[in-house]
Amino acid sequence: MTVSTTQKPAPPRHDVKVVTALRRFAISISVLNILGYTVLGFEQAWLWPFIAVATAYTTEIVLEAISARVDGRAPRYAGGGFKGLVEFLFPAHITGLAVNMLTYVNDRVWVMVFGVVVAVGTKWVLRAPLKGRMRHYMNPSNFGIAIILLLFPWASIAPPYHFTEYLHGPADWVLPAVIVALGTLLNAKLTGRMWLILAWLVGFALQAVVRGLIMGTAIPSALGMMTGTAFILFTNYMVTDPGTSPSKRNSQIAFGAGVAALYGLLTALGIAYGIFFATALVCLIRGGYLWGLHFLDKQRAAQAKEAAAGAARPEGLSVLPTPAPVPAPAAAASAPAALPAVALPAVAVDACAAGTCQHGKCASVRAARERKEVTV
């Protein structure tokens, strides 16, 4: 017997629009890093972006190779040539540069490397069924940053002046305007996350006002955060991640408003960097919701299958309860033991008249007749 060793095909890649969006994301963040180290004032070592990208590439390829081997399929980076490999590495490229760009860990590069590994690795761990496939639901870059801030209290996010330290005059407005224009075009034409952005912005403004009315927070200062370059980058490139945010309008509104509401709650509780923790919590809630829908659908499918099987069962084969045995009449106590059943010919015969029936009354009459004959 010949055993086939043919591998399963690789999972389907992203559609054209998503690949285009990832390509533009990757180009945008690469250009921003180049400008950051040459013009804007990034404070991390210039070698760190290369370390971050190399770490992200390695982690992505190794985990995909392991996953492909376990599933018995071809890895997604194979079969498409160099172009296919580049498209496969777009998410890792974005994640590595984002984690390095948005965190500041002094000179401890291993903390940054750890954050990149966690960010990329979470795509193979935190997954949920969506449209018949297992998809990661946790925003990788945001999760890696949140883990660094949670495990290393001395670490921080990049300071606000990080992006405009060497800009003066009109340039202070030009850079945010360019980011807003490019980000809006990208999200409107490719990712389709404008409802999410709108809900996030409206929710952020509302939570600032509510905190001002309830907690006494200075409302202008709370709203002023929305004018920073870091906030604009987060709005256009972080919270709108197409791989970990919903696509339907109502779901987008719930997602964006939920991040804003949780940010307001965490900030009111005195928790720093709440914007990253809020995004991670909303992604976690969405993942739990997807798993809940999955189990509910399985339960409904099982019930529907059971109902269909019951409806298809022939009526004659229905399982009926066994009737209770009927006791024989008392007069039959003296009747002789019943003879084994014998197949009768297919002729209409009166069994009672012939004396071959098994009725208790007839057996009593026959026995009395025999006793009478013996007595005579």
Side-chain angles (χ1 to χ4, degrees), residues 281-297:
L281 288 174
V282 171
C283 288
L284 186 63
I285 292 171
R286 178 171 176 262
Y289 174 73
L290 293 176
W291 274 112
L293 288 180
H294 173 69
F295 288 125
L296 184 60
D297 289 342

Side-chain angles (χ1 to χ4, degrees), residues 35-114:
L35 293 176
Y37 283 96
T38 57
V39 178
L40 303 179
F42 284 13
E43 297 188 352
Q44 296 94 337
W46 65 268
L47 187 61
W48 284 25
F50 297 97
I51 297 175
V53 168
T55 302
Y57 288 174
T58 303
T59 305
E60 187 91 9
I61 291 174
V62 169
L63 292 180
E64 171 61 18
I66 295 174
S67 177
R69 186 177 182 84
V70 171
D71 296 339
R73 59 173 175 81
R76 289 179 296 169
Y77 55 78
F82 181 75
K83 179 182 178 181
L85 176 63
V86 171
E87 292 180 353
F88 170 76
L89 291 175
F90 279 154
H93 184 87
I94 297 169
T95 300
L97 290 181
V99 172
N100 175 67
M101 180 179 69
L102 296 176
T103 56
Y104 187 76
V105 292
N106 205 348
D107 60 345
R108 302 183 183 182
V109 66
W110 63 269
V111 176
M112 183 271 293
V113 171
F114 170 78

Side-chain angles (χ1 to χ4, degrees), residues 105-191:
V105 292
N106 205 348
D107 60 345
R108 302 183 183 182
V109 66
W110 63 269
V111 176
M112 183 271 293
V113 171
F114 170 78
V116 172
V117 172
V118 170
V120 176
T122 188
K123 295 193 297 182
W124 274 266
V125 178
L126 299 180
R127 290 185 168 191
L130 179 63
K131 297 179 180 179
R133 293 174 54 196
M134 293 299 292
R135 302 287 300 273
H136 67 282
Y137 57 82
M138 184 63 69
N139 187 309
S141 303
N142 182 87
F143 187 72
I145 295 171
I147 290 297
I148 289 177
L149 297 173
L150 188 64
L151 298 182
F152 307 99
W154 49 266
S156 68
I157 61 172
Y161 60 82
H162 183 75
F163 301 95
T164 57
E165 185 174 5
Y166 299 135
L167 298 181
H168 304 283
D172 287 339
W173 294 91
V174 170
L175 178 63
V178 170
I179 295 174
V180 169
L182 294 178
T184 302
L185 183 64
L186 180 66
N187 287 293
K189 296 294 184 180
L190 296 175
T191 67

Side-chain angles (χ1 to χ4, degrees), residues 4-24:
S4 175
T5 58
T6 304
Q7 287 185 328
K8 299 178 182 178
R13 291 186 176 135
H14 301 296
D15 58 34
V16 177
K17 290 183 65 175
V18 174
V19 171
T20 303
L22 289 173
R23 181 186 300 112
R24 295 185 180 180

